[in-house]
Amino acid sequence: MSNLTGFLRLVAALHLSATPASAEVDTSLFSQDALVTPPEMVDCTLTTGEAAQCAKFVVKYLPDNLEIGPFCPTTLDETGGIWDWDGENPGVYRLNRAFFEMLNGLGYTFYDEAGNIYITDPGGGTPPAQDNTCLMATADEAVEMTMLIPTTPVVADAPTDLGTVAKVGIALDGVPIFADAPSVLETGHMPALDTCGGHIDPGGWYHWHGTSTDMQTVFGASGLDAECGLAQSASAQFGYAFDGFPMFGSAEVDGAVPTDLDTCNGHTGPTAAHPEGEYHYHATAEFPNLPPCLTGVQAEDNFSTTAAMGLGSVNGGGGAGPGHGGPGPAGRRMPPGFDKVAETLGVTAEELMRALDDAGGRNADLAKAAAALGVTEEALRAVLLPPPN
């Protein structure tokens, strides 16, 4: 962390401590279409070990009446959803012929000679047959998710950075929110998103990877010809983060663009519910339009599912699971020489990849990864930097 970043975060924490206490989570704002049972207040434990009250939400695999997709196109002549490409020529793209042919020119081939897109169901139990496939999971109507949100936010000693597929919060439509999906550069595979920024987890449930109610701001800023079918409002509340602070679109309640955001894209200012001011997060005009970190303390065990696999399941844990770039049935394209690197460290390639994923993925904390592997950080750096040939 740079000295400037540390200073800005300190200022944000001091500013928060001087503002009026935020109101409790308003469960009446949530759509009934998603709820299995009405929200209830329960005892919970924060990650600091402190006892607290949490709003407990049990939601369906998909809210009633929420139309999702398209995700992966079947052929190059069709248009699917979107993808945030972070390689050469980065940006948000529609999944169409132009995009896939661009990727082919960069060495990522997602289609055969006839123009058929390689598609894999990451929850199907069969690894992809190709190095590059478009991932599209199947919904499971029986799956339920349980989430815990502290009713009264508590500012943490330091913000929590949100790495790949980190837990962000819950939208007012009841759909869980997760951070950026894994990069094709890391996995070789593309877990396609629909034009509202969501897709189905390998466990069979739908979730957001962006602020779905403000996608048109993203498309307008990037010049992309796309449209999210949900009602769009840059100033509306999108949901609550897992620390209990509310999340809004990219504009203030009066339509103005905020200019005093901290490093987590948050600030204290007036909202419709609190014209006197409360701390809240804002979306951005760039995808993924979500906070890069959370300012408050979260509850322990704040997300779980009844699914047999995927994020939040007994088998999937809380990190990047199968189909989200982690080892598992969806497969993983290991970088050249990766098995040799793992062998040098005395671990398997799968153990090494999982440790790097759990430590932050593309921005992995190598000290954390080394500790998980039982090796020194120096040893890990020696074999990873520079990359093996």
Side-chain angles (χ1 to χ4, degrees), residues 352-378:
L352 177 55
M353 187 64 78
R354 184 175 295 279
L356 292 172
D357 276 339
D358 291 344
R362 73 192 77 171
N363 299 312
D365 180 340
L366 294 186
K368 180 178 178 180
L373 293 168
V375 301
T376 65
E377 181 180 354
E378 290 73 18

Side-chain angles (χ1 to χ4, degrees), residues 23 26 29 235-237 246 248 251-255 269-278 280 282:
D26 186 352
L29 298 177
S235 60
Q237 183 174 347
F248 287 80
E252 300 283 25
V253 66
D254 61 359
T271 63
H274 290 275
E276 77 281 5
E278 66 173 337
H280 56 280
H282 278 285

Side-chain angles (χ1 to χ4, degrees), residues 51-83:
Q53 281 281 298
C54 283
K56 178 181 177 181
F57 298 91
V58 181
V59 300
K60 307 170 187 176
Y61 79 104
L62 178 73
D64 299 337
N65 305 314
L66 177 61
E67 296 184 6
I68 63 175
F71 303 106
C72 300
T74 303
T75 72
L76 289 177
D77 293 326
E78 298 176 359
T79 298
I82 61 172
W83 185 251

Side-chain angles (χ1 to χ4, degrees), residues 72-368:
C72 300
T74 303
T75 72
L76 289 177
D77 293 326
E78 298 176 359
T79 298
I82 61 172
W83 185 251
D84 184 24
W85 172 246
D86 58 345
E88 188 176 341
N89 306 318
V92 180
Y93 288 86
R94 289 304 302 267
L95 302 187
N96 56 21
R97 176 183 289 273
F99 176 58
F100 285 115
E101 289 183 344
M102 183 192 80
L103 293 187
N104 184 59
L106 296 174
Y108 298 87
T109 302
F110 283 84
Y111 55 90
D112 62 19
E113 293 183 357
N116 298 305
I117 303 296
Y118 299 132
I119 299 176
T120 299
D121 182 345
T126 303
Q130 295 81 23
D131 285 342
N132 307 122
T133 65
C134 190
L135 302 177
M136 187 165 61
T138 302
D140 183 348
E141 297 182 8
V143 172
E144 298 176 358
M145 288 87 71
T146 300
M147 288 169 275
L148 298 175
I149 306 290
T151 57
T152 303
V154 176
V155 178
D157 291 337
T160 300
D161 290 325
L162 299 177
T164 304
V165 201
K167 297 175 292 186
V168 179
I170 178 174
L172 297 185
D173 61 9
V175 175
I177 309 165
F178 285 82
D180 201 6
S183 170
V184 174
L185 302 180
E186 294 179 352
T187 70
H189 306 294
M190 183 186 301
L193 304 174
D194 61 25
T195 53
C196 290
H199 65 185
I200 300 172
D201 182 81
W205 47 274
Y206 187 79
H207 57 280
W208 301 126
H209 280 289
T211 301
S212 61
T213 52
D214 196 16
M215 289 299 292
Q216 293 309 130
T217 296
V218 173
F219 298 150
S222 62
L224 188 68
D225 183 14
E227 184 175 341
C228 171
L230 297 178
Q232 298 289 291
S233 174
S235 60
Q237 183 174 347
F238 174 50
Y240 285 95
F242 271 115
D243 59 6
F245 287 117
M247 301 169 61
F248 287 80
S250 55
E252 300 283 25
V253 66
D254 61 359
V257 177
T259 58
D260 59 343
L261 300 179
D262 59 27
T263 54
C264 295
N265 286 350
H267 72 159
T268 298
T271 63
H274 290 275
E276 77 281 5
E278 66 173 337
Y279 184 83
H280 56 280
Y281 299 107
H282 278 285
T284 66
E286 296 182 358
F287 196 83
N289 52 346
L290 294 169
C293 55
L294 295 185
T295 303
V297 180
Q298 302 179 49
E300 292 182 349
D301 303 319
N302 58 2
F303 181 82
S304 63
T305 79
T306 61
M309 63 182 302
L311 296 170
S313 69
V314 174
N315 297 319
H324 271 103
R332 186 66 177 264
R333 185 182 71 167
M334 300 295 180
F338 201 79
D339 54 344
K340 298 289 187 183
V341 170
E343 183 179 351
T344 300
L345 293 171
V347 299
T348 67
E350 289 74 18
E351 289 171 336
L352 177 55
M353 187 64 78
R354 184 175 295 279
L356 292 172
D357 276 339
D358 291 344
R362 73 192 77 171
N363 299 312
D365 180 340
L366 294 186
K368 180 178 178 180

